[in-house]
Amino acid sequence: MTPLMRFFERLLPGWLVWPALTATYAAMLLLLALFDPVGSGQIIYIDLRQ
Amino acid sequence: MNLQVSAIFLLAMAAATAIWLVPKARALDVMACSTLLVLAAFSWPTAVWLLAAILLCWAALKAGERGTSRNLVAASLCVILLTAFVAAQFTSGILWLGASFFTLRLLHVAGEWWTGRLTAPSLPALLRYQLFLPVLVIGPIHRLPHFERQATRRRWDNATYFSGLERCLIGFVMAHFLGDVVIGRIAVRADYWTQGLPEFLGTWILSAIGWARLFFIFAGLSAVALGASLMAGLRLEENFNKPWRAESLLDFWNRWHMSLTSWSRDYAYKPVMALTRSPLVGLIAAMLVIGLWHDMSLYYVCWSFWQALGIVVSRQAGKLVPVASLPRPFAAIVVPLGILAWLSAARPVISLLLGVDHDPANALF
């Protein structure tokens, strides 16, 4: 059982856990796919000296 | 997010999955080979350096075990590793991947061996420890004994694997969306809003936003690194522990980039403290390690002294007005804001002292 699943189990009735988990994963993947990066590589420049 | 960072983390997740297909005894050897290939593809000078440093460390420790003076071996090894690291810092035009992390890991091995807490590791053990792809770019600076214990205990478990995968996803969202997109855009707007303010105040506000952005990106990418390690079956040391709950500046540094803080405590604070019997000198040494780890510059020397001063001030303030004596909601808001104010004041204060506005790209704090 993953931490998010445990979190939803505490909050929601049993039948809603899997739909909530799926929706959360889908929302996270969508956010990653939709937004253009600004350049976080710059902020960890110390390990990516270019 | 920088494409190279994303690509390396995705490859780490793929490697963490693929190693379950090979026999357990060879899994981390396969991971080490994959790491070397990825390193060579992204930055062959780093691959050569890392391999040479591992071979040197192994040969030196073996020589030390066979009778060569331990002090001489440990001191020479530290000087060579640090010289190579400093030389890399001043070499432009080459992409150095995770240079500081693997240098600090090797210094940890040399330090533990010198004190007798660790026997000289075998070459395969050292290769497996250093060439672990998930922690290549962003750490944590994990310790060899813990890594070996985890490697011995690793076994397939659905919950562990999927918890790691989930942590990677959450980490990517933290770094890419919250840090990069949300706070990145706030920073761009704040840059515009603060143009009418006095320069000192404007820099202070921008630096505070920079700290928030750094938290989401660094803690997010650390979560991806630890998640990918978990997918490979290894639970490595945490790097962040709710820094916003810190009750003092010292507490903050024990919650922020914890693997670096514990490294500097073990290999800078404790030895210097033992030599000088002065906690203050030990503290300055530890903060200098943390500061110079970020960048070898006068700015970060001043930054280290500023942070050491902050720890002393917050300790004295804590004695006068203990956090526990403050009303809980008040303390929960004011104490973290006070800590953020001190941390972010470093940039305007040091810029004022040095008489130059430090390049924001090189002074995130």
Side-chain angles (χ1 to χ4, degrees):
Chain A
M1 195 177 283
T2 68
L4 257 185
M5 200 186 277
R6 273 199 297 275
F7 173 74
F8 283 129
E9 270 206 344
R10 279 201 301 270
L11 278 185
L12 305 168
W15 63 271
L16 256 179
V17 171
W18 273 103
L21 198 62
T22 312
T24 310
Y25 288 153
M28 287 198 283
L29 287 170
L30 211 61
L31 282 177
L32 289 174
L34 285 181
F35 286 92
D36 283 334
V38 181
S40 62
Q42 301 306 314
I43 214 160
I44 52 157
Y45 76 102
I46 188 83
D47 292 294
L48 281 171
R49 292 162 210 288
Q50 293 176 79
Chain B
M1 192 184 297
N2 186 303
L3 277 177
Q4 285 163 324
V5 176
S6 302
I8 292 169
F9 278 125
L10 290 174
L11 286 168
M13 289 164 68
T17 306
I19 60 168
W20 291 108
L21 301 173
V22 294
K24 190 183 167 187
R26 289 276 157 262
L28 291 179
D29 298 336
V30 172
M31 177 65 93
C33 293
S34 318
T35 308
L36 206 55
L37 286 174
V38 170
L39 254 183
F42 281 90
S43 166
W44 66 265
T46 314
V48 171
W49 174 15
L50 181 48
L51 212 51
I54 292 170
L55 286 170
L56 176 74
C57 184
W58 169 74
L61 299 192
K62 280 284 170 229
E65 298 264 292
R66 286 194 195 119
T68 313
S69 160
R70 286 175 87 90
N71 291 348
L72 182 69
V73 166
S76 316
L77 195 56
C78 290
V79 167
I80 293 169
L81 291 172
L82 283 172
T83 308
F85 177 60
V86 173
Q89 293 254 328
F90 293 105
T91 312
S92 56
I94 300 177
L95 172 74
W96 297 111
L97 265 174
S100 55
F101 294 109
F102 69 73
T103 302
L104 293 188
R105 279 185 211 118
L106 282 181
L107 288 174
H108 143 69
V109 173
E112 293 297 301
W113 172 81
W114 180 66
T115 54
R117 286 194 288 259
L118 197 72
T119 51
S122 66
L123 184 59
L126 209 50
L127 286 166
R128 281 193 292 266
Y129 168 62
Q130 276 288 33
L131 295 171
F132 187 60
L133 191 53
V135 299
L136 186 71
V137 182
I138 200 83
I141 306 155
H142 60 292
R143 306 293 179 96
L144 178 60
H146 179 75
F147 180 82
E148 290 201 318
R149 258 196 314 276
Q150 288 290 312
T152 316
R153 288 175 187 168
R154 70 180 281 279
R155 61 181 175 82
W156 174 262
D157 174 48
N158 283 339
T160 306
Y161 178 84
F162 286 105
S163 293
L165 191 60
E166 185 182 276
R167 196 161 185 198
C168 289
L169 184 58
I170 294 171
F172 272 128
V173 171
M174 270 179 81
H176 179 86
F177 180 68
L178 293 176
D180 217 0
V181 176
V182 177
I183 303 187
R185 287 180 186 181
I186 291 173
V188 171
R189 289 194 183 177
D191 198 17
Y192 174 73
W193 294 331
T194 52
Q195 276 172 9
L197 293 174
E199 196 181 330
F200 186 92
L201 189 59
T203 313
W204 196 352
I205 293 170
L206 289 177
S207 179
I209 295 171
W211 271 92
R213 186 168 174 227
L214 183 66
F215 168 72
F216 281 105
I217 292 177
F218 196 8
L221 293 180
S222 292
V224 179
L226 292 170
S229 306
L230 204 55
M231 285 168 71
L234 280 78
R235 198 178 292 273
L236 298 183
E237 293 92 334
E238 289 293 329
N239 236 1
F240 289 85
N241 178 23
K242 300 174 183 160
W244 61 89
R245 284 196 180 170
E247 293 188 347
S248 67
L249 207 56
L250 184 61
D251 190 20
F252 171 84
W253 283 112
N254 284 326
R255 292 165 175 270
W256 177 280
H257 201 177
M258 290 147 67
S259 61
L260 175 65
T261 311
S262 65
W263 192 99
S264 69
R265 187 176 53 231
D266 289 348
Y267 303 114
Y269 177 81
K270 284 181 182 173
V272 173
M273 162 88 177
L275 273 175
T276 62
R277 300 279 162 202
S278 164
L280 181 64
V281 179
L283 173 66
I284 291 170
M287 293 318 291
L288 273 171
V289 167
I290 295 176
L292 294 175
W293 175 82
H294 288 100
D295 193 21
M296 302 262 175
S297 65
L298 180 60
Y299 177 89
Y300 276 102
V301 173
C302 299
W303 182 92
S304 307
F305 279 96
W306 176 260
Q307 299 305 340
L309 176 68
I311 290 172
V312 174
V313 168
S314 78
R315 201 171 177 150
Q316 293 306 321
K319 280 181 188 168
L320 287 173
V321 188
V323 175
S325 70
L326 298 171
R328 191 171 278 253
F330 177 76
I333 295 167
V334 171
V335 174
L337 281 180
I339 291 170
L340 179 63
W342 185 277
L343 293 168
S344 51
R347 203 165 116 196
V349 168
I350 298 167
S351 297
L352 200 68
L353 280 176
L354 297 180
V356 286
D357 186 18
H358 203 78
D359 177 8
N362 289 326
L364 296 155
F365 306 130

